[in-house]
Amino acid sequence: MTDKKINSLQDIEQLREQLLSGHKDSKARVLICMTGCRALGAGSVAAKFRENLKSLSLETQVAVVETGCIGICAAAPVVLIEPYEYLYGGVKPEDVEEIIAETIEKGQPVERLAVTQNGEVSAKLGEIGFYKKQKKLVLENCGRIDPKRIEDAIERGGYIAAIKAVTEKSEQQIIDEMIESGLRGRGGAGFPAGVKWNLCRKSDGDEKYIICNADEGDPGAFMDRALLEGDPHRVIEGMLVAAYAIGAKLGFIYVRAEYPIAVEHINIALDQARGLGLLGEKIAGLDFSFDIEVRMGAGAFVCGEETALIGSLEGRRGMPNSRPPFPAQKGYMGKPTNINNVETFANVPIIMKNGPKSYSAVGTEKSKGTKIFALAGKVKNTGLVEVPMGTTLREIVYDIGGGMDKGRKFKAAQLGGPSGGCIPAKYLDNEIDYDSVQQLGAIMGSGGLIVMDELTCMVDIARYFLEFVQAESCGKCTPCRAGTKKMLEILQSICRGAARLSDLDLLEHLAGHIKKASLCGLGQTAPNPVLSTLSSFKEEYVQHIAEKKCAAGVCKDLLSYEIIEACTGCQACMRVCPVEAITGEKKQQHSIDKDKCIKCGQCFDVCKFQAVTR
Amino acid sequence: MSETINITVNGKEIAAKQGQTILEAVRGKGINIPHLCSDRRLKPVGACRMCLVEVEGQKGPVTACTFEIKPGMIVETETDEIRAIRKTILELLFYEHGAVCSTCDDMGECKLQRYGYEYKIADEVIKSSETMEAIRNHTTGNKALEYNPNKCIRCGRCIRICEEVQGVSALTFKGRASSVLVSTAFDIALNDSTCELCGQCISTCPTGALYERRAKGRGQCKDLVRTRTTCTYCGVGCQIDLNVNPRTGCIIRVTSEKGYVPNDGNLCVKGRFGFDFVHSPERLTKPLIRENGQFREATWDEAITLTGKRLSEIRSKHGPDSIAFLSSCRCTNEENYLMQKTARTAGGTNNIDQCATTCHAPTVAGLASAFGSGAMTNSINEIQNVQTLFIIGSNPTEAHPIIGLEMKKALAKGAKLVVCDPRKTWIAKRADVHIQHKPGTDNMLINSMMNYIIEKKLYNQEFVTQRCENFEAFIANLRDYTIEQAADVCRVDADLIRQAAQMYAGGTPSSIFYTLGITEHTCGTENVQNLANLAMLCGQIGKASSGVNPLRGQNNVQGGCDMGAIYSVLPGYQKVADAGVREKFSKAWGIKFPTNTGGRVTDFIEKAGEGVLRGFYCFGEDPVLSEPNQANVIKNLKKLEFIVCQEIFMSETAKLADVVLPATSWAEKDGTFTNTERRVQRIRKAVEAPGEARPDWEIICMVSTAMGYPMSYNSPSEIFDEMASLTPSYGGMSFDRIDEVGLQWPCPTAEHQGTLFLHKDKFVRGLGLFHVIKFREPAEMPDDEYPFILSTGRTLYNYNIGNMTQKSDAIRQKQSKNFVEMHYCDAQRLGVTCGETITVSTRRGKVTAAAAVGQRVQPGALWMPFHFVDQPTNKLTNDAFDNITRTGEYKVCAAAVSKDAGTGTK
């Protein structure tokens, strides 16, 4: 860590030159994801690398870098070797010797560790389908730097765009560029970020604040976590620009306590930025002071809503307030406050660096730039992906995601979490941006994208999300508190086979009123998962109610397991049945005692002859 | 003033004020927007969503309670869509609602029920609700109130009123989503939380979820009859409604309507829960006569005849100084007027007094000498606009809680706060400057402040020259009082005194508030005069929100004084010394005016001891408990030949009486009280008196008649009219005029609208008089034998001698025993632990009480309340008196503390 303070734009540019020139005798770099992959043994792989490199006296020439998310989570733990760009998945400590011998010493790939996608095997990162259609702008450093080292970030240009902007541009110039860039809020609603900044800048107030909303709460979403873990400096850099443009002296990062690595990395990054004079008094020698405090949220989903988040920051119970007044007018402690999501701030350095025109060249007419998705569900390559706005769902699911897992059929993609909806297969070729997604009954949301196959029950999915919002409703306004509970009750009764067809009308009626009457975004969007599945998959609801049948085999109460003639009497099902409900002689058709059966479905999964029905 | 703008609501043009919300704009204009979570006293939150309306140009419906109006705005409040949404919301609320209206106390009052009816919610929807299991909550076992989660609609009004209006924040939501409930932080029992039992949460609850425990099952709201009256406790004069069940004739609960001065629907613990005494089985119901040392029940005839005979006999045998009349500030203006009239007519004596001698007599004397009028100069609702509050010797949030609320409003608006109090009270903790001076050093403090103000030229020269006199002598005296010396004597940081002086002198405007911490000293009148000096010096008087404001302690202590129940003045402070005044009253009453000087209650006790006073008519007072040095009081009273007590309970003084006359409480009679801001307000009969008890004014008439001066009136209104005809400051008032809202004196003519603040342009006495005040030490200072300074005072939960408040289960549960506040350093030194029973002794007596160890008082100081008959603090207090008004020095005496009953310890 350098101890020299940055006192000017020149200083930081010089520092970067100096850092870059320090790698002359570098032979290779071993990048190991130490965030998400940590849970799958990345730590021992890294240790093994260090050990072996040391014993080969290569440790000064080959750096082992603990990075953030490299992207392809399905292949964890993931190792990337620079400069060869060989990407290895499922790496174990015993593979390390071979990787050093082949790749580091000879520059050759270890084919057996390469990632397979759509039948193609390639060790080169750039040749893997998962990466080919991605455009990594915001994630350019994520997985490439050690997030705990500010030098790594600066080497790759970090902070330079911000320092250049605050040195050379006026506040209004920055806001104008932000507006021109067309960047829309990545938290989900897609409000133009520059316009939001401008509102806050123009509000009267002796003190102003900026807040980074890192209270990522959608089930299945982990974009913000990955950014904070993998490249916290980019977020700080974005906040720095925002603070300058708005006139804030203090900022907050409100991050959930369930993200310990993100919290750790952000705190380290803040300390290092302060150490270099990139935060604090007279930043880069300018008459501009700004600092950031980290506040941990206690895991309430509703605290992702701006006004609830501010309440929580102020030490109150996190509950949303009526708007207007908007936070830009009266926010934290009653002062004008600008809140943006992590990914929004992370986009700012790109705009500052390349200019608004270059930025807005990417994307669609009304949605500019790229979007990061957390790709999850029944798709082969789950992981973190960044694509230009306007990429089709098919490209994401098939080209990047490698298609459906186990060769099953694509049924729908859930976008936008509990506020979003399910997009059915017929829209696979629609371009994804803020407006198109809304037309399809979902929302862009923060970027959670869950892929579903034919074994997903859409009624159950709606029930799941309702259960989520009902548990996370703050309880302040009637429609959200009581309305979602009533809707959930109806959905539960459908899943139990106890509902009437008229309940579907009641669901729609309630959903409409809850959307219109709720106080905040949580309630206003809470019925979306129900409404979107009702519109695309109504036949499933009807089937549950009228035929008391769940075709996907998920709603237990509607299932009745039977063994049909196709049974060969292999006894596989008998062996897995945890309650000994299956009986039968070898090579004879088995049968299931329905009184004992707990409908766990293990017999169904294990049967190779489709002899178990439900 | 904010600009008037026009909006269109349901096709109708409406004029409203800029800055108002839609809900505020349509109020009182015939458009009713339903709402459940809104209360005018609270900031709007838009939680219930019942007030959704359509505003042209808005994407979806908006909440009328939060949405600010704009010129030309077009609003629709009753479209089919809006009504359908509201119906859904109501259905959802009923779906959560685990209770039925037919068994609910709140039936008739409940807004959910009302809207449910209006929006025709189907029976099956209402029936579908599930009742939550009876779960223990923070109010389980609480005797004041009950929270029933089955009836709660989670509007949060209780939580918000607790925070926004009371500043207490005892309540909060717990849980999430459909399991959200109201509770205390960490779910502790209500009485263990910061709750002050004001019951404001009940007042704002739109359903029956929060309800008075005592009222449950004793009559549904729809059947209760409300009688508007004035609270009988402190001098604020809150307007309350006694809710009476006509079938049982009992007061079931006390409510208060928003929109009325002075309290705007707010009440404190005493006002809301302190009325149980009315129906107490301990009430006196028959006249009693002492025979052979024992009381026996008697007829009214017997008792009155005996009383008239004995008092007349003594008077004719021993002259005007042999009998005395003690009037009651607990009772009405009419009764006080009659009592002093009886003293001066039937009694032929000026020996008439009331309890102001015990408390604010120095105010009446001190302010009258400085300004010409001895009352609060400003109005209660002016307090919220004060910019620097200067509070000295006063604990408003406990003793005058509703005035405390007005002060909280001022603070919320950004007012600065200076508190001079030896104790760290609730309000002192929130002060910008808290001067925790040694008890009894007020004049040292004030003189040094004024010296500093003059030195720094912070005073208002123009005001001083044009409106005051005796300035030269006044400033000459101040030179001896430096800040450094004051810091030393008062034991405070000199800088704090400077800051306080700057804040007060620089406030735009500033206002002084004080109570008995100023008056109950041997220099009480001088203290008051010095506060008058301070106000005049800085020109902080004679304008809105600025003046000298004594907060009167009893419901009608202002009226008692106004009515001339003082030896030296007649109604309206017309001086007995003035021959013209004497002639006017002699003529009106058809008497020869008494010739003796007369005295005060403390004189009566002294004269009784000397054998000069022989007969005593004690009306609604209990000097045995309220006067200092109890042993001496009892000893002297026992020497009297005849005592008659007119009471509602068998008081400690009544126990010494020869005749006891059963009287009515305030709920059982008509009349008027004058509150601390000089506002004359009605009280009204709501229930029947128990047994043979009679209204006090009737009893006084009977006694007077029996003494030979026939007196008879048809109603209190008639008495009031007679009084008003003789009292210029009340001259324009009548029961008709004050029927809905009271008037503030002076109100000399029938057209006069009353006076909001006094001394505008000119003081009542002409020029304001600066007094030369020297600092004097209290009569008894600590020494080796009695090393502590003991002060006494009131608590929030109890009132005076406690005979009313201690009848309330709710209050008794919260506070029923005496206690001694002491600093933890002293406690540690003496080995005293918090809650331990200790003995406090003075040269006059001993009292045992629980030690309340903490930091409320400074080391070397003790503080005790005086509300508990079994542990009477006035056994300890010093019967040293103010040199002018003979008010006892309750605030300073020397005391010792011991762990074991008996010997004093240092």
Side-chain angles (χ1 to χ4, degrees), chain A residues 99-120:
Chain A
I99 296 173
I100 294 177
E102 287 301 312
T103 309
I104 293 175
E105 303 266 28
K106 299 186 206 148
Q108 294 301 313
V110 180
E111 294 287 350
R112 68 176 182 86
L113 295 171
V115 176
T116 313
Q117 186 175 346
N118 300 339
E120 291 171 30

Side-chain angles (χ1 to χ4, degrees), chain B residues 101-107 211 218-224:
Chain B
C101 299
S102 54
T103 56
C104 181
D105 295 280
D106 210 37
M107 185 179 198
Y211 212 72
R218 299 181 65 218
Q220 290 179 298
C221 283
K222 69 178 172 54
D223 297 324
L224 303 182

Side-chain angles (χ1 to χ4, degrees), chain A residues 409-458:
Chain A
K409 224 177 108 194
F410 175 91
K411 186 171 188 179
Q414 210 282 348
L415 232 79
S419 305
C422 295
I423 301 176
K426 64 179 167 183
Y427 299 123
L428 265 172
D429 292 314
N430 284 39
E431 291 185 347
I432 300 289
D433 70 11
Y434 284 101
D435 311 292
S436 67
V437 169
Q438 205 150 20
Q439 277 163 16
L440 301 179
I443 61 162
M444 179 72 92
S446 56
L449 201 164
I450 303 165
V451 178
M452 298 156 183
D453 62 15
E454 73 259 39
L455 292 185
T456 312
C457 168
M458 300 316 280

Side-chain angles (χ1 to χ4, degrees), chain A residues 300 316-317 319 322 470-479 481-483 485-486 489 509 513 516-519, chain B residues 45-49 52 61 63 66 81 84-85 88-89 92-93 95-96 153-154 163 173-178 180:
Chain A
R316 299 170 165 274
R317 185 181 153 96
M319 280 177 135
S322 286
Q470 163 56 200
E472 294 293 345
S473 163
C474 78
K476 182 172 181 173
C477 79
T478 315
R481 180 188 68 239
K485 188 181 178 210
K486 182 75 194 166
E489 260 185 32
H509 168 83
H513 282 176
K516 278 189 184 130
S518 289
L519 192 155
Chain B
V45 292
C48 71
R49 318 305 284 175
L52 285 174
T63 41
T66 60
E81 166 86 348
I85 291 177
T88 299
I89 288 164
L92 290 170
L93 286 171
Y95 156 71
E96 286 185 321
I153 59 163
R154 284 88 168 167
E163 179 183 335
F173 276 127
K174 68 164 186 179
R176 290 228 194 114
S178 55
V180 156

Side-chain angles (χ1 to χ4, degrees), chain B residues 45-60:
Chain B
V45 292
C48 71
R49 318 305 284 175
M50 276 300 286
C51 71
L52 285 174
V53 295
E54 279 170 15
V55 172
E56 204 175 271
Q58 289 296 314
K59 249 198 296 185

